[in-house]
Amino acid sequence: MGNTKASNPSPGLTRVTITLDVEDLQPDPSLPERAVDMTNWVLDLLSEHGVRASVYVVGELAKRWPQLVKRIADEGHEIGLHSWSHVPITNQTPETFLADCHRGRLLLQDLSGQAVNGYRAPMMSLVPSVAWAVPLIAEAGFTYSSSVLPGPSPLFGWPGLPQQPFQWTHGPIEFPCPLVRVPGFALPYLGGTYLRLLPNVVRRYGLSRSGSDEALWAYCHPWEFDTEEPFHLHEHIGMLASRIAWLGRSRMERQVRRLLNDPVAEPLGELALHLPDDGAALPFVDPTTPPTIGSAHWADGRLRN
Ligand SMILES: [Zn+2]
């Protein structure tokens, strides 16, 4: 992991890890359950392309749908935890967070028969106000996390963190969410809403601007492919976010197929085992202090000497 790398000259050759967050947005239990069918639909799509992904599963859904977890594992995907009940870390206490991480990880290991090393926070909710969560993720047994959006965000973000993988002090390795930076914005261009709604040129621009020291990963959710679900107001996120969650679903399959048609990178858990690939140490970041490392400094979300 060098610190000064050129931008990728050829976005078509840039490999992106595919990740899937298995969660259920169903607003009312009396409505037909769609998340299992949609997750199976996405698994079929991955299988069609021979792609192994990192699949982060909400713990209480794994408990309800053990056969789904078994299918994910049987098809060679990496399984990680996407919290116990999809409550943002900012709405948890250290005690409930740690307990949920423990039971979620143990359940997924029991169901899948594989080591569960990866944690992904709901909605990238690992932010400075809950820096206490960083050592607890490691204490629960996770060796890596992909839980931060390293820039300004109207929802959850941690500006100043590096864009390339780094090692939390007393915590796991972190794979920050890939961003494309344009004046005034930092967009998670490979994920969810942004992948669905932004023009494809943004994806290609982001890939062309990415550093070769970044670990690029895309994220999606089973409900984003569900074009038949009627609109529902999700009261906990409000009307605007509910609308955004419902828009652009007819584009999602095409957008993800574009990613799957290019060479993809291995699951994040396997990337974590290979880091650092050139023998250099990953940058360390102390979650409780501003990110400065030796003579290096942070500029535009990157570590520079
Ligand atoms: Zn989620």
Side-chain angles (χ1 to χ4, degrees):
M1 298 300 300
N3 294 331
T4 53
K5 300 280 181 69
S7 293
N8 271 308
S10 173
L13 298 177
T14 305
R15 297 202 310 149
V16 176
T17 295
I18 307 299
T19 78
L20 174 68
D21 296 349
V22 177
E23 62 192 37
D24 188 1
L25 284 193
Q26 186 182 27
D28 180 343
S30 67
L31 295 169
E33 191 168 79
R34 307 178 70 88
V36 172
D37 286 349
M38 290 314 304
T39 303
N40 279 314
W41 187 93
V42 180
L43 292 173
D44 289 345
L45 180 67
L46 295 172
S47 174
E48 178 190 329
H49 288 264
V51 165
R52 292 186 308 118
S54 293
V55 182
Y56 303 95
V57 185
V58 170
E60 63 181 14
L61 300 185
K63 189 175 174 185
R64 200 187 315 162
W65 305 324
Q67 291 305 320
L68 187 67
V69 177
K70 290 189 171 77
R71 178 182 174 188
I72 296 166
D74 287 346
E75 296 188 359
H77 302 293
E78 177 198 6
I79 292 182
L81 181 67
H82 189 40
S83 79
W84 180 260
S85 54
H86 212 259
V87 174
I89 302 176
T90 47
N91 289 6
Q92 293 206 276
T93 65
E95 291 74 23
T96 60
F97 176 75
L98 181 60
D100 283 358
C101 282
H102 265 303
R103 65 172 168 167
R105 180 167 175 268
L106 293 177
L107 174 65
L108 290 176
Q109 291 194 151
D110 282 348
L111 293 175
S112 68
Q114 63 175 246
V116 170
N117 296 321
Y119 173 79
R120 172 165 294 167
M123 295 175 269
M124 307 291 161
S125 59
L126 184 55
V127 294
S129 64
V130 292
W132 50 257
V134 168
L136 299 185
I137 294 170
E139 188 177 330
F142 298 104
T143 58
Y144 83 87
S145 158
S146 56
S147 301
V148 297
L149 192 159
S153 166
L155 195 54
F156 295 109
W158 194 324
L161 288 179
Q163 188 67 67
Q164 71 266 53
F166 62 87
Q167 174 76 56
W168 290 110
T169 310
H170 307 301
I173 292 171
E174 183 70 39
F175 289 102
C177 182
L179 300 177
V180 62
R181 294 167 195 273
V182 292
F185 295 97
L187 301 174
Y189 65 106
L190 290 175
T193 297
Y194 302 88
L195 198 58
R196 266 187 292 125
L197 298 181
L198 293 175
N200 194 44
V201 66
V202 176
R203 181 180 67 87
R204 294 195 62 79
Y205 176 75
L207 291 175
S208 73
R209 298 288 297 169
S210 64
S212 56
D213 53 355
E214 289 185 39
L216 296 171
W217 50 269
Y219 66 89
C220 55
H221 308 88
W223 51 265
E224 290 187 284
F225 299 86
D226 190 352
T227 56
E228 295 175 11
E229 185 181 42
F231 173 77
H232 297 298
L233 171 63
H234 303 281
E235 294 199 354
H236 66 292
I237 59 175
M239 177 58 82
L240 178 61
S242 298
R243 282 276 169 202
I244 290 172
W246 190 66
L247 289 172
R249 294 184 179 188
S250 61
R251 290 188 75 224
M252 193 58 172
E253 177 182 350
R254 191 163 71 245
Q255 289 291 79
V256 171
R257 280 188 186 277
R258 284 182 165 129
L259 291 168
L260 296 174
N261 284 333
D262 285 335
V264 301
E266 58 261 68
L268 293 183
E270 293 172 29
L271 280 183
L273 293 175
H274 300 151
L275 291 173
D277 59 5
D278 61 1
L282 286 180
F284 271 87
V285 174
D286 184 335
T288 62
T289 60
T292 54
I293 301 171
S295 62
H297 65 282
W298 300 102
D300 194 25
R302 286 178 175 283
L303 182 67
R304 301 184 189 282
N305 287 308

